[in-house]
């Protein structure tokens, strides 16, 4: 006796959260059954392994049919085939678009292309996440990217509107899309200590301040080229950043800046002497990062540069986080007192965001 | 002439990509009704076209309006080649044809293609302007309401229940026409879908005409079925019960909360007999006194319908066995004559209802069934389908005479079914022989005195158990005792019925699903030889099914079966029998005894040990079951535990004496012998297997109950969560070990595993009950068995459920009275005449009788029924069949299962489709739409509930919107790509649900009640990567309002769409 066909269809589609988890994690039916058996469900319910097998198959089939709809979540809401309560719909979508920290760190900032997709094998081996799950997560990133790429308006809002994600998840996706679009390098060894959260935090600040949309100059004429306002960094702004170079190129200005900062922080920093000794290096580093951002290559290396030029020197001198904060505050503020410097607004736009990012990046 | 159909195509969404180059679609729509077609403009390059068309107007006859479906086809425009079809929507506009119904169908419909499934949705608005038609000779029957529900629909009351209506139409099956060889599968499927839609429209119209002739206005318990006879054609047939219904205007009238005592009194017209002497002439007297004044409109039909065979040959008594000598005395004889003559006016006193207004069902005789094996022949002239008609007429006559043999003049819970394999067809009909209260069958004009007496004689809550036949001339030897409830009349020791448990019945403990499963191998044969082989096997199967049911019932410690449905399925090389029923313990019937096992070789010591071991296991199981189902009959339990092994049966019965209070035992003989034994004899492996299979049925896990009736006896505190589902399994038998035993085991495992899976899947709903569990078996191929289950899981409140028996009884009684109001809207004025004779509210009486119950000396007996007698009958009846078989002619083999009250079948699917008509509810259309809007703002698609039951727990049905009757075909040539057979069927069933929900929502409804999947025919050819499936579903579209909402509405906005709940005074006056 073999079972040829075995199905269960409810008027309200049954969703088993545990099985959904297993499916999302990319387990095969037999693996999923084995894992469920191990969870002790048979003892709890008195069911047999055959029942479990049939149940798992059923759920997998349902998820497989739902997957097409999950690719465009608004379709899931409007479709008539599966009657699913709204709270369950939300759960299905949220879980489907959820991703693994380990995975996202591997692909963050990489081009979401076929080439990367080919590397998923390695990522799977490296992270222990099943290849199936890696593919789903990668395809999710890519799909969201494709949909919002050409859209105007707030990135987070667009994502939320088209994928019906929670606020938190939409922000994460905004960061992923932003990183993928600007191809920020995150995979270098010295960046390994940074979490996805760190990058997402920086991405949010940069989106808020460094993109076209950030300036608040909503394109009044529809012909303007500002289509993807939140995705791309403001080119003009990046060009302007060259002007900051004077802060380190002009020796008088640099000295003046240094003395202003040292005066203000004397006695307040535990690492004052180290700061004083390193000031010029640090300042040069920060300003040069800004000045280089006109080149795409250097944009990509933004985080590498920040870590190399600022985080690592401070860390090697054992600056406490609070001292870093005091220093950065003073460092940015003092520029306002430099009479010879004309780009105050530009400086604030640059340093305001950078300060936030650096503070977040500064940890072990 | 008189109707204008108006259609507007608004928009489409989620259309498939038809143009690969642009990834878009240039869609337009064709709207077709009859022979007229309109087209919308092409909406270029969009997957979400906005046509916003003008109103397309069709001027048509109302006859066409009833027969034809509206056909909407969505196509992709192609400049250079033929336009590609995206898919179709068929809309049945019947619900728009009743003055009281929805005036508009408006909503998103899934666009369906028989090859690709659902491909996007289309928004359509449909309206009908009907002109009044006064033509008396019209062929249409607009205005007759149809209900699948097999009880009087909520929010209606029955003025008169007229009786049986039936009709069938036949046609050639397009799949078998020569043209099918040259057309595409899609064209063929669509031709079939369209034809069946047309045929069912025509069928419904014809039935409607019959109803109008009977002066009715509705059909309740409408069951429509398709027989796919292959080469010989396509038969669409329907049965139903014609009624005159009145819409209850006030929703408050069916609020469950308002049951004032005064109302109870009125609604339950019977009472404890104030004058017991009336009974002295014998227990069956009162019922024979009835005058069966069935409504004289016998003339239902004939002229209009093509399909009727005229059967004015009213059956005379002699047809069934045991009908001789029923006259008990001159007086009785006289009355009987009266009754009979009145009855004979009615061709078939059958009722497809399974639940009745209180007082309607007077006595129940038992299950009657008839089967007949026929050879199919091409239907030569579709307009004269008299062969099929004659076949059914023959079977119905059989049923009628069986009922007569049981002293009954009516059959309730009646249903018909077929099983077809190649050219052999088994026709089956079954129902419950019953004696009915004539008041409901005719308008008031009943002779006063007779009726009065009848009412007086009706004891509370147990009347239906009392035997309707004459005790001295019983149609079969049965074991009778005095009723344990009223102690005045005789009752059988076991009662089998095809109806739902009457709401006023006193039940102890809970009920449970009981199934008998059976397979029999059969040699492959052709034509007559095949038919003969089948008819030879049938009686054995029926007998064994009966035996299994009886044993399982005893094992559960119960004494009655409700909702019994026996399905016999024929395949190429085997026959399958599956009987499902809900077992209960009726307080009025005696306690069932145990089962005793005896070995053949008593000298073998180890063997005896084994036997006693088995015996112990059986006794333990019985005890366990009693505990599980909370069966604690008053003061009997001790004795049960004390002496589980019954003693030999005492033949002295009939008169109630002291001896009965001792352990009386009847013996069960399963070995076809004539031994007077109630013992399972283990004389060979077969019997051994029987005993084992008895014990392998695993009870549902704790927190689960199951039944195949509407509601679970003993549970009444339903909460509102429901989950309707369909589950299908197909197993392939390995052809090597095809023996009866192996088959039985496979089949048994299949069913048990299926149930286990259901319990597991629905575990999150615990505590819950699977209601209306409906199993269907088919044998699609040689080695394939397909089982389809549809049921609904309903949650209930555990705390309330775990109360003592006493309170349970009390509650069920209270509930009974509540239900009376709730479920069965009956004319109060009809009851009013009986009012003076009822000094007490009935609920109280029930209690009294229940408590008096406990005073009865305990008597324990084993299931006796008429076992030995049955064996007798069986053998004679088998001979009869054998004789017949020798003289067999094409198409005329027949077996008939007439049996003890216990034997047989009910086709559970008697709830069918019914077109619903419906009344303008007191609320305005606009308001009403608002109400049915989805409750949750975030959901863009309104929730539509589906249930096979006639009600929705925790909610009130405020409007019936019409019958849903849909037929779909799905075919694939890429089976593997669609996930194999499971993926294919899973998707298809989900699509069918979706289409049903969409139609209901478009009608403005939010639920389907009495939903049933009547057919699910699945065929596969994995080698060719192909599969095809046909599904036929039906139900009643309704609007329901949550009880909690109802209160809010009535208190806060008295002017809102729902009428303020009236005070009880208003209701009762």
């Amino acid at each position: 006796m073999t079972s040829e066909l075995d199905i269960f269809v409810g008027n309200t589609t049954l969703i088993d959260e545990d099985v959904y988890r297993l499916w999302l994690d990319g387990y095969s039916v037999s693996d999923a059954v084995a894992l469920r058996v191990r969870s002790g469900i048979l003892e709890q319910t008195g069911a047999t392994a055959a029942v479990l097998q049939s149940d798992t198959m059923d759920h997998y089939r349902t998820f497989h049919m739902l997957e097409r709809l999950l690719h465009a979540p608004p379709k899931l809401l409007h479709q008539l085939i599966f009657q699913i309560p709204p709270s369950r719909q939300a759960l299905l979508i949220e879980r489907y678009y959820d991703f693994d920290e380990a995975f996202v760190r591997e692909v963050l900032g990489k081009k979401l292309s076929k080439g990367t997709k080919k590397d998923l094998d390695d990522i799977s081996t490296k992270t222990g996440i099943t290849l199936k799950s890696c593919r789903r997560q990668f395809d999710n990133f890519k799909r969201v990217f494709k949909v919002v790429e050409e859209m105007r308006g707030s990135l987070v809002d667009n994502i939320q509107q088209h994928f019906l994600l929670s606020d938190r998840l939409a922000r994460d996706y905004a960061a992923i899309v932003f990183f993928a679009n600007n191809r920020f390098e995150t995979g270098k060894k010295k960046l390994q200590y940074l979490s996805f959260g760190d990058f997402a935090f920086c991405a949010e600040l940069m989106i808020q301040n460094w993109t076209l949309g950030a300036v608040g100059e909503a394109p009044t004429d529809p012909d303007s080229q500002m289509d993807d306002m939140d995705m791309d960094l403001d080119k003009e702004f990046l060009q302007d950043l060259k002007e900051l170079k004077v802060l380190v190129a002009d020796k008088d200005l640099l000295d003046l800046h240094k003395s202003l900062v040292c005066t203000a922080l004397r006695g307040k920093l535990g690492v004052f002497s180290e700061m004083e000794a390193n000031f010029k290096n640090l300042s040069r580093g920060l300003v040069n990062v800004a000045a280089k951002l006109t080149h795409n290559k250097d944009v990509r290396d933004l985080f590498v540069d920040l870590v190399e030029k600022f985080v690592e020197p401070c860390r090697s001198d054992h600056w406490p986080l609070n001292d870093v904060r005091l220093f950065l505050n003073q460092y940015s503020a003092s520029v306002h007192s430099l009479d010879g410097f004309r780009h105050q607004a530009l400086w604030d736009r640059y340093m305001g965001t950078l300060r936030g990012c650096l503070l977040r990046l500064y940890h072990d | 002439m008189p109707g204008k159909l108006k259609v507007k195509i608004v928009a489409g969404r989620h259309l498939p990509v038809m143009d690969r180059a642009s990834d878009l679609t240039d869609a337009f729509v064709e709207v077709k009704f009859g022979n007229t077609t309109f087209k919308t403009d092409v909406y270029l390059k969009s997957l979400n076209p906005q046509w916003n068309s003008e109103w397309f107007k069709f001027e048509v006859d109302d006859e066409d309006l009833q027969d034809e479906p509206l056909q909407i086809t969505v196509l992709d425009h192609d400049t250079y080649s033929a336009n590609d079809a995206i898919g179709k929507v068929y809309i049945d506009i019947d619900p728009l044809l009743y003055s009281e119904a929805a005036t508009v169908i408006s909503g998103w419909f899934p666009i369906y293609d028989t090859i690709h499934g659902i491909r996007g949705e289309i928004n359509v608005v449909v309206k009908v302007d009907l002109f009044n038609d006064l033509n008396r000779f019209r062929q249409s029957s607009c205005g007759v309401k149809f209900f699948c529900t097999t009880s009087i629909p909520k929010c209606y009351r029955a003025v008169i229940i007229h009786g049986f209506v039936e009709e069938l139409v036949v046609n050639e099956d397009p799949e078998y026409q020569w043209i099918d060889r040259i057309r595409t599968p899609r064209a063929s499927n669509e031709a079939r879908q369209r034809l069946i839609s047309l045929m069912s429209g025509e069928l419904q119209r014809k039935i409607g005409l019959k109803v109008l002739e009977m002066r009715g206005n509705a059909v309740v318990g409408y069951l429509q079925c398709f027989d796919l006879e292959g080469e010989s054609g396509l038969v669409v047939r329907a049965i139903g019960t014609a009624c005159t219904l009145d819409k209850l205007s006030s929703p408050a009238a069916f609020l469950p909360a308002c049951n004032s005592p005064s109302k109870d009194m009125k609604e339950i017209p019977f009472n404890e007999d104030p004058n017991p002497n009336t009974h002295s002439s014998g227990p069956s007297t009162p019922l024979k006194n009835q005058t069966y004044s069935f409504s004289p409109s016998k003339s239902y039909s004939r002229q209009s319908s093509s399909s009727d065979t005229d059967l004015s040959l009213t059956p005379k008594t002699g047809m069934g066995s045991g009908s001789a000598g029923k006259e008990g005395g001159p007086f009785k004889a006289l009355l009987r004559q009266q009754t009979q003559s009145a009855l004979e006016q009615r061709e078939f006193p059958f009722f497809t209802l399974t639940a009745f207004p209180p007082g309607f069902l007077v006595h129940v005789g038992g299950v009657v069934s008839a089967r007949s094996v026929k050879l199919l022949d091409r239907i030569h002239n579709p307009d004269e389908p008299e062969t099929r008609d004659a076949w059914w007429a023959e079977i119905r006559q059989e049923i009628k005479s069986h009922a007569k043999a049981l002293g009954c003049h009516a059959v309730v819970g009646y249903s018909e079914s077929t099983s077809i394999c190649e050219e052999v067809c088994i026709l089956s009909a079954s129902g419950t022989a019953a004696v009915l209260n004539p008041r409901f069958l005719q308008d008031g004009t009943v002779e006063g005195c007779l009726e009065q007496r009848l009412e007086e004689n009706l004891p509370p809550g147990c009347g239906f158990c009392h035997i309707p036949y004459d005790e001295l001339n019983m149609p079969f030897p049965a074991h009778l005792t005095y009723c344990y409830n009223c102690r005045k009349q005789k009752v059988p020791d076991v009662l089998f019925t095809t109806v739902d448990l009457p709401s006023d019945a006193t039940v102890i403990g809970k009920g449970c699903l009981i199934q008998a499963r059976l397979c029999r191998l059969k040699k492959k044969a052709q034509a007559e030889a095949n038919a003969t082989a089948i008819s030879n096997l049938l009686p054995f199967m029926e007998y064994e099914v009966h035996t299994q049911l009886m044993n399982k019932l005893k094992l559960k410690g119960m004494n009655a079966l409700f909702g019994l449905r026996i399905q016999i399925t024929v395949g190429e090389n085997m026959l399958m029998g599956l009987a499902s029923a809900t077992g209960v313990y009726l307080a009025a019937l005696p306690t069932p005894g145990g089962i005793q096992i005896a070995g053949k070789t008593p000298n073998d010591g180890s063997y005896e040990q084994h036997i006693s071991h088995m015996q112990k296991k059986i006794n333990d199981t019985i005890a366990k079951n009693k505990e599980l189902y909370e069966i604690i009959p008053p003061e009997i339990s001790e004795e049960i535990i004390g002496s589980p092994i019954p003693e030999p049966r005492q033949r002295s019965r009939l008169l109630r004496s002291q001896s009965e209070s001792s352990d009386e035992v009847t013996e069960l003989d399963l070995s076809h012998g004539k031994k007077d034994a109630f013992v399972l004899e283990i004389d060979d492996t077969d019997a051994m297997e029987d005993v084992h299979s008895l014990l392998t049925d695993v009870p549902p896990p704790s927190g689960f109950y199951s039944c195949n009736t509407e509601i679970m006896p003993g549970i009444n505190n339903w909460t509102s969560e429901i989950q309707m589902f369909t589950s299908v399994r197909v197993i392939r038998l390995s052809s090597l070990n095809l023996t009866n035993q192996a088959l039985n085991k496979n089949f048994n495992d299949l069913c048990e595993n299926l149930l286990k899976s259901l319990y597991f899947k629905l575990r999150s709903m615990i505590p819950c009950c699977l209601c209306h569990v409906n199993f269907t078996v088919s044998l699609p191929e040689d080695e394939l068995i397909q089982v389809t289950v549809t049921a609904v899981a309903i949650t209930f409140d555990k705390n309330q459920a775990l109360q003592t028996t006493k309170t349970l009884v009390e509650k069920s009684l209270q509930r009974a009275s509540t239900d009376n109001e709730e479920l069965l809207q009956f004319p109060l004025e009809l009851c009013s005449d009986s009012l003076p004779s009822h000094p007490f509210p009935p609920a109280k009486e029930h209690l009294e009788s229940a408590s008096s119950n406990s005073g009865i000396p305990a008597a324990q007996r084993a299931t006796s029924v008429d076992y030995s007698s049955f064996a007798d009958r069986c053998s004679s009846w088998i001979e009869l069949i054998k004789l017949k078989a020798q003289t067999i002619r094409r198409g005329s083999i027949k077996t008939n299962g007439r049996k003890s009250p216990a034997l047989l079948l009910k086709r559970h699917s008697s709830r069918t489709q019914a077109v619903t008509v419906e009344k303008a509810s007191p609320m305005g259309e606009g308001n009403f739409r608002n109400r049915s809007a989805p409750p949750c703002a975030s959901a863009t698609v309104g929730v539509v509930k589906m249930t096979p039951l006639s009600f929705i727990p925790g909610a009130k049905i405020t409007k019936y919107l019409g019958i849903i009757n849909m037929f779909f075909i799905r075919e694939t040539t890429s089976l593997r790509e669609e996930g194999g057979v499971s993926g294919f069927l899973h998707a298809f069933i989900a699509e069918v649900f979706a289409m049903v929900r969409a139609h209901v929502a478009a009608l403005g409804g939010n639920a389907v009640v009495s939903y049933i999947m009547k057919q699910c025919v699945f065929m596969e050819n994995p080698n060719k990567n192909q599969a095809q499936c046909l599904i036929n579903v039906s139900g009643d579209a309704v609007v329901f309002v949550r009880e909690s909402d109802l209160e809010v509405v009535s208190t806060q906005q008295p002017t809102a769409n729902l009428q303020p709940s009236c005070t009880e005074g208003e209701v009762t006056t």
Side-chain angles (χ1 to χ4, degrees), chain A residues 24-225:
Chain A
L24 289 176
D25 287 345
Y27 291 106
S28 68
V29 173
S30 52
D31 288 349
V33 170
L35 284 166
R36 292 182 83 188
V37 168
R38 226 171 294 156
S39 77
I41 197 166
L42 295 185
E43 290 75 24
Q44 286 164 35
T45 58
T48 62
V51 166
L52 207 58
Q53 167 85 16
S54 136
D55 181 66
T56 310
M57 287 283 284
D58 246 336
H59 284 299
Y60 266 54
R61 213 162 32 234
T62 308
F63 298 142
H64 181 73
M65 285 190 263
L66 283 169
E67 189 164 23
R68 188 177 51 86
L69 298 163
L70 282 165
H71 290 166
K75 268 194 187 165
L76 184 70
L77 262 64
H78 289 99
Q79 56 82 31
L80 303 175
I81 298 178
F82 302 97
Q83 186 159 275
I84 304 170
S87 62
R88 289 262 135 172
Q89 286 179 344
L91 178 132
L92 283 174
I93 297 167
E94 193 76 4
R95 293 259 179 96
Y96 189 78
Y97 282 91
D98 210 352
F99 49 81
D100 291 309
E101 166 88 24
F103 176 78
V104 75
R105 276 300 278 109
E106 292 296 323
V107 296
L108 191 65
K110 284 193 183 143
K111 198 175 172 192
L112 300 174
S113 64
K114 285 218 173 84
T116 314
K117 197 164 181 179
K118 278 180 194 143
D119 301 337
L120 291 181
D121 273 337
D122 300 336
I123 296 179
S124 169
T125 321
K126 187 175 165 193
T127 58
I129 300 166
T130 61
L131 182 59
K132 227 174 163 185
S133 180
C134 288
R135 288 218 179 100
R136 170 182 61 85
Q137 299 182 41
F138 181 82
D139 288 343
N140 281 345
F141 295 166
K142 193 171 168 185
R143 191 175 319 109
V144 173
F145 184 91
K146 285 265 179 224
V147 168
V148 298
E149 190 179 25
E150 305 288 326
M151 267 175 205
R152 44 181 64 199
S154 154
L155 191 56
V156 177
D157 288 355
N158 284 339
I159 292 172
Q160 234 170 342
Q161 194 189 333
H162 287 87
F163 292 92
L164 310 171
L165 302 179
S166 68
D167 191 53
R168 181 198 64 80
L169 200 52
R171 280 167 199 280
D172 285 350
Y173 266 89
I176 293 164
V177 167
F178 184 74
F179 266 67
N181 189 49
N182 293 289
R183 310 273 299 281
F184 292 116
E185 173 62 58
T186 64
K188 283 268 164 59
K189 201 166 181 205
K190 54 182 61 164
L191 296 183
Q192 283 309 314
Y193 78 100
L194 292 169
S195 70
F196 170 71
D198 296 334
F199 288 116
F201 179 86
C202 298
E204 196 168 348
L205 281 179
M206 288 157 80
I207 292 169
Q208 275 165 15
N209 298 299
W210 288 3
T211 60
L212 273 176
V215 204
E217 35 185 291
T220 39
D221 58 320
D223 298 332
S224 75
Q225 297 292 306

Side-chain angles (χ1 to χ4, degrees), chain B residues 254-298:
Chain B
F254 46 85
L255 270 179
C258 54
N259 48 333
S260 71
S262 66
K263 231 177 141 191
D264 290 348
M265 206 149 56
K266 282 183 167 184
E267 295 232 353
I268 303 180
F270 42 77
N271 189 8
E272 217 165 2
D273 188 355
N275 177 15
N277 290 334
T278 344
H279 300 298
S280 55
S281 65
S284 50
T285 316
L287 60 108
K288 301 216 166 125
N289 288 350
Q290 278 179 83
T291 306
Y292 280 85
S293 31
F294 294 84
S295 91
S297 48
K298 171 239 140 91

Side-chain angles (χ1 to χ4, degrees), chain A residues 252-322:
Chain A
D252 293 343
L253 219 48
L254 182 59
D255 287 340
L256 187 54
H257 191 187
K258 181 181 173 184
S259 67
L260 280 170
V261 172
C262 288
T263 315
L265 291 179
R266 193 180 304 272
K268 290 182 187 161
L269 285 193
V271 288
F272 182 78
S273 53
E274 290 89 337
M275 186 275 287
E276 199 173 21
N278 263 331
F279 181 86
K280 286 188 182 171
N281 272 339
L282 292 174
S283 184
R284 241 178 239 127
L286 293 176
V287 172
N288 283 336
V289 165
K292 285 200 303 180
L293 287 178
T294 41
H295 305 290
N296 278 341
K297 165 85 182 64
D298 295 309
V299 171
R300 286 181 202 169
D301 285 338
L302 175 66
F303 290 94
V304 181
D305 290 343
L306 290 179
V307 169
E308 265 176 17
K309 301 279 159 47
F310 185 84
V311 175
E312 284 181 345
C314 294
R315 203 157 44 190
S316 66
D317 285 345
H318 304 292
W319 291 35
L321 179 62
N322 203 40

